[in-house]
Amino acid sequence: MSTTTADRLAAIFRAVFNVNPGQDVTRLSRENTEQWDSLAHVQLVMAIESELGITLDAAEQLRMVDYGATARLLEERGLL
Amino acid sequence: VNYLEAHQIVASFTGGPALKFLFATSGIADKIDVFLRAAAARQGRGAEISTLPFNTLSQALLSGNTSGDREVFVLFPWDLVPEADWRSGVPAIATDVDGVRSRASQSIDRLAQRERASTLYVRAPMPPLFSEPSVDTKLDAWLASAMADAGHEIIPADFFSLSSYLASGSPFASRHLGALAERVIGRAAGVRPGPKKVLVTDLDNVMWRGVIGEDGLEGIHCSPEGAGFRHFVYQTMLAKLKREGALLAAVSRNDDELANTPFKSGRMVLQTDDFVAIVATYKAKSAQIREIANKLNLGLDSFVFVDDNPIELGEVASSLPDVRTVRFPDADDALPDLLSELGALFARDVVTAEDADRTTLYRRRLESMASVDGPGADLTEFLRALGMSLTVHDRSTGDRTRAVQLINKTNQFNLNGRRVTDEEVDAMLSSGGRLYTCSLSDRTGSHGEILSCLIDAEGTIRSFVMSCRVFQRRVEIAFVTWLAGQEGAPVAFDYVATSRNEPIRQFLEDGAFNISGVTASGLVSADLAAFVRAHAEDLDLFSLAAPNRTTVQTSG
């Protein structure tokens, strides 16, 4: 991912999950993040779509189980 | 506005009058929440938003408005034709088109009976319902036509996202959430649908790049090149809107003659005659806009106000909540959004000959615009809500770069227009003079060091300047009130009228200053005790931090 896109993705995770600026967001996952419920997932999808100007289909949204998987998805979409 | 920007706007918003309304849609509404709050915040409003549980829109329509709150519906075809809901798949049984239209008409009628409801209709695609595709096409057109005839706003299909709707039940396309939220908040604020009639624009850094009062005619830019290009495009957009029937007006904190000069220079797309009014005074812009509305005899809900300064926009939104406020962007890339928003606000299906000639008709009616001297109705309350913090700095020693720079670059609120060298300032300070500056911050952020005052050893204010960015905040009043309480308070102002310093002349017209009876040495005498008695309340608008004092927390 480009630095700009990576920075924006990190900012999105911080905003959606209310993570402190100094905290490492790259380790966030549905398993270890209490606030990552279904509504927060909708927010995360919306935030990424809004920020990056893309549309994520249902299958892609289901793959977003953690930060790393989300980043890989964006890489596959050519947002390198 | 995208997600992070909306999130930032909401996070930094410190409050305003609440906009309370029901946001009614059949899908999940959580996704748009932050955009609604950001759109409200951009108008200086908080948001108290209630929503419907998922898939309960039909029941809500049947039960009527029990809260009495304003309601904004965002409907999709399947809210009128349940058979067309993508989440139910394609209907298994044949659909009767007459029955579909009949039931949809009943829903549209029920909407019309809700007195405090506004409706946006997203013309989203429907799954095929009929064996003949043309019947589906006709139903789509009929629904849009019926909703438009009922006075509802039609929203383009790409505001809908099928993938989002299928995945989460939220039908809104993420890329249009900001624009949709702006429309919803506009309706929640009671803005009347239909084209706006009057576009009121700020001048400095909107109509042109630069500040005419500071930079002069040669220093402003609005030609199709370089720094002025964005402003050139904006002027061409305004010219288009005028051709299509919009009335243009301008408001500015400037001298009247100064504000008109660029339009008479032949360098602008727009000329003086393109405006029904150009109002230039140093009063609140809400007062200027209200005066224009009164003279034109047009409702404030038909007005749109464009400014680059969020404080000015907030003041107008607070005092005149019916006026639609639009921020002029500070980046070229944001210009398309502005033009798109203005285009939508003033959109007309048909342009008549009368539309094209409307400005002339209104100009005849107006003949001339008198000065607007009335204060903004709620200016004091607005200023109080800003939560302003004023810090006075004693620059008599140490770094005084900004203090001297302010004196030498400010033209309008400038005691005498006199420029000073650092050596001259140093000499005055060495002989017992004082140099103060003020910095200002409020809920919108820091405005930096915006006032500078140089006082000689005899107690005469030799330089007194303030940035035009903070006009109308009463900063100068608060500072002089503070100054009056200091040892060796000033006794006179070294005032000289210039071609541009009308604002300071107006300040010195205060009853505490004898501007009409200058002393033999050419000074304006000052009775600061009287000034303090008259303006104690203005100091209360600020949280003040000053030399030899601790921060004083005052009301507001």
Side-chain angles (χ1 to χ4, degrees):
Chain A
M1 253 183 317
S2 69
T3 302
T4 302
T5 305
D7 290 345
R8 288 165 79 187
L9 184 61
I12 289 168
F13 269 76
R14 286 198 179 88
V16 170
F17 298 116
N18 197 24
V19 175
N20 293 328
Q23 190 175 332
D24 181 10
V25 295
T26 63
R27 298 179 185 279
L28 292 180
S29 73
R30 296 191 78 149
E31 295 299 318
N32 67 16
T33 307
E34 187 179 355
Q35 59 269 41
W36 194 331
D37 57 16
S38 58
L39 283 180
H41 194 75
V42 171
Q43 292 285 331
L44 178 64
V45 171
M46 172 273 291
I48 292 171
E49 290 181 332
S50 168
E51 276 298 314
L52 304 181
I54 61 173
T55 300
L56 298 165
D57 66 28
E60 289 173 317
Q61 295 177 25
L62 290 173
R63 285 179 53 194
M64 295 164 48
V65 294
D66 56 31
Y67 181 92
T70 307
R72 283 192 295 279
L73 175 64
L74 297 183
E75 287 174 356
E76 292 169 17
R77 292 287 299 263
L79 297 166
L80 294 170
Chain B
V1 174
N2 55 21
Y3 172 77
L4 289 175
E5 185 180 358
H7 189 269
Q8 181 60 38
I9 290 171
V10 173
S12 60
F13 183 60
T14 55
L19 194 57
K20 188 177 182 184
F21 67 101
L22 170 71
F23 177 65
T25 192
S26 57
I28 288 177
D30 302 65
K31 190 168 143 177
I32 197 174
D33 184 79
V34 69
F35 291 91
L36 292 174
R37 295 182 189 283
R42 278 156 57 96
Q43 296 192 18
R45 308 287 297 269
E48 285 184 28
I49 308 165
S50 53
T51 57
L52 300 174
F54 182 56
N55 238 354
T56 62
L57 179 72
S58 300
Q59 296 91 312
L61 273 176
L62 290 169
S63 64
N65 183 348
T66 56
S67 69
D69 292 339
R70 194 174 288 278
E71 302 173 321
V72 182
F73 287 84
V74 178
L75 300 187
F76 294 82
W78 41 95
D79 297 319
L80 305 172
V81 181
E83 297 89 337
D85 193 338
W86 286 99
R87 288 176 69 90
S88 302
V90 177
I93 57 175
T95 306
D96 166 33
V97 67
D98 291 332
V100 163
R101 289 192 181 193
S102 174
R103 290 190 293 277
S105 293
Q106 290 173 15
S107 295
I108 295 170
D109 289 344
R110 279 196 289 274
L111 271 174
Q113 291 165 12
R114 302 177 83 92
E115 290 184 359
R116 293 179 61 76
S118 296
T119 301
L120 310 176
Y121 176 69
V122 182
R123 193 175 176 179
M126 292 181 283
L129 303 182
F130 307 100
S131 56
E132 176 56 51
S134 65
V135 182
D136 289 304
T137 304
K138 287 176 183 172
L139 176 63
D140 165 63
W142 179 84
L143 286 169
S145 175
M147 292 297 278
D149 287 348
H152 306 313
E153 183 176 349
I154 309 301
I155 304 296
D158 61 352
F159 278 56
F160 166 70
S161 166
L162 182 58
S163 65
S164 174
Y165 191 45
L166 295 180
S168 67
S170 176
F172 308 113
S174 299
R175 65 183 181 281
H176 291 306
L177 283 170
L180 182 61
E182 291 284 346
R183 286 171 160 88
V184 171
I185 290 300
R187 296 306 184 89
V191 177
R192 187 173 57 191
K196 300 292 185 182
K197 295 177 180 172
V198 187
L199 189 149
V200 183
T201 180
D202 180 36
L203 296 179
D204 290 330
N205 286 317
V206 174
M207 193 63 79
W208 49 73
R209 173 77 170 256
V211 178
I212 183 69
E214 299 291 338
D215 304 322
L217 183 60
E218 298 306 315
I220 63 171
H221 305 280
C222 55
S223 57
E225 59 182 6
F229 221 140
R230 184 179 348 145
H231 306 275
F232 163 80
V233 174
Y234 175 66
Q235 287 200 29
T236 60
M237 178 66 184
L238 264 52
K240 171 182 180 290
L241 294 177
K242 179 196 169 236
R243 283 196 305 275
E244 294 171 354
L247 299 174
L248 305 181
V251 294
S252 180
R253 295 188 200 289
N254 266 311
D255 292 331
D256 185 60
E257 185 178 345
L258 203 55
N260 276 280
T261 299
F263 297 109
K264 297 173 180 171
S265 68
R267 294 169 46 192
M268 317 281 279
V269 173
L270 296 170
Q271 310 297 314
T272 305
D273 288 351
D274 290 318
F275 294 85
V276 288
I278 299 175
V279 178
T281 69
Y282 293 94
K283 302 302 180 185
K285 287 186 176 171
S286 62
Q288 297 175 330
I289 294 171
R290 189 189 297 279
E291 184 72 12
I292 293 170
N294 289 341
K295 286 181 177 292
L296 295 175
N297 197 27
L298 292 172
L300 286 164
D301 60 355
S302 64
F303 277 60
V304 174
F305 173 53
V306 181
D307 202 309
D308 63 316
N309 185 335
I311 296 299
E312 302 280 19
L313 292 168
E315 190 272 326
V316 170
S318 175
S319 299
L320 307 174
D322 288 342
V323 173
R324 175 69 176 263
T325 53
V326 178
R327 185 172 182 183
F328 189 85
D330 54 10
D332 291 347
D333 287 345
L335 194 60
D337 286 344
L338 170 72
L339 302 193
S340 173
E341 184 172 3
L342 294 179
L345 287 168
F346 288 91
R348 292 167 190 272
D349 293 333
V350 179
V351 177
T352 65
E354 186 192 28
D355 287 332
D357 203 31
R358 181 165 288 120
T359 296
T360 305
L361 299 174
Y362 272 90
R363 282 183 67 86
R364 280 190 202 129
R365 172 178 176 162
L366 289 174
E367 289 189 358
S368 64
M369 290 296 293
S371 295
V372 180
D373 294 326
D378 302 304
L379 185 57
T380 298
E381 283 310 305
F382 173 77
L383 292 174
R384 198 182 306 282
L386 283 177
M388 295 185 289
S389 294
L390 188 67
T391 302
V392 180
H393 309 277
D394 188 345
R395 301 295 188 204
S396 304
T397 58
D399 184 10
R400 55 175 176 262
T401 307
R402 173 62 177 166
V404 175
Q405 181 192 53
L406 267 172
I407 293 171
N408 287 332
K409 67 177 284 191
T410 306
N411 291 312
Q412 297 183 87
F413 195 97
N414 187 322
L415 187 61
N416 44 40
R418 201 171 293 139
R419 303 317 192 197
V420 295
T421 64
D422 192 61
E423 290 71 23
E424 288 169 336
V425 174
D426 189 57
M428 196 175 291
L429 297 177
S430 299
S431 62
R434 287 165 289 159
L435 178 63
Y436 295 109
T437 66
C438 289
S439 54
L440 179 73
S441 63
D442 58 34
R443 62 178 166 84
T444 68
S446 172
H447 300 275
E449 227 163 329
I450 41 71
L451 179 151
S452 183
C453 181
L454 179 63
I455 309 167
D456 69 15
E458 287 72 41
T460 297
I461 296 179
R462 294 297 177 183
S463 295
F464 185 30
V465 302
M466 184 177 71
S467 168
C468 59
R469 288 187 288 117
V470 294
F471 279 5
Q472 206 67 20
R473 304 290 200 89
R474 304 181 188 166
V475 169
E476 69 282 19
I477 294 173
F479 171 72
V480 172
T481 303
W482 170 82
L483 200 56
Q486 304 307 299
E487 189 176 343
V491 294
F493 290 87
D494 182 8
Y495 167 71
V496 176
T498 74
S499 60
R500 294 185 181 180
N501 69 351
E502 171 65 13
I504 193 104
R505 191 195 65 76
Q506 291 190 6
F507 171 73
L508 292 174
E509 278 192 335
D510 189 286
F513 310 132
N514 187 16
I515 193 170
S516 59
V518 293
T519 65
S521 56
L523 303 177
V524 174
S525 61
D527 178 356
L528 291 193
F531 189 83
V532 170
R533 286 195 297 276
H535 295 290
E537 287 185 1
D538 292 318
L539 193 60
D540 281 346
L541 294 171
F542 298 84
S543 171
L544 181 68
N548 304 320
R549 287 187 173 198
T550 54
T551 300
V552 179
Q553 188 65 49
T554 57
S555 60

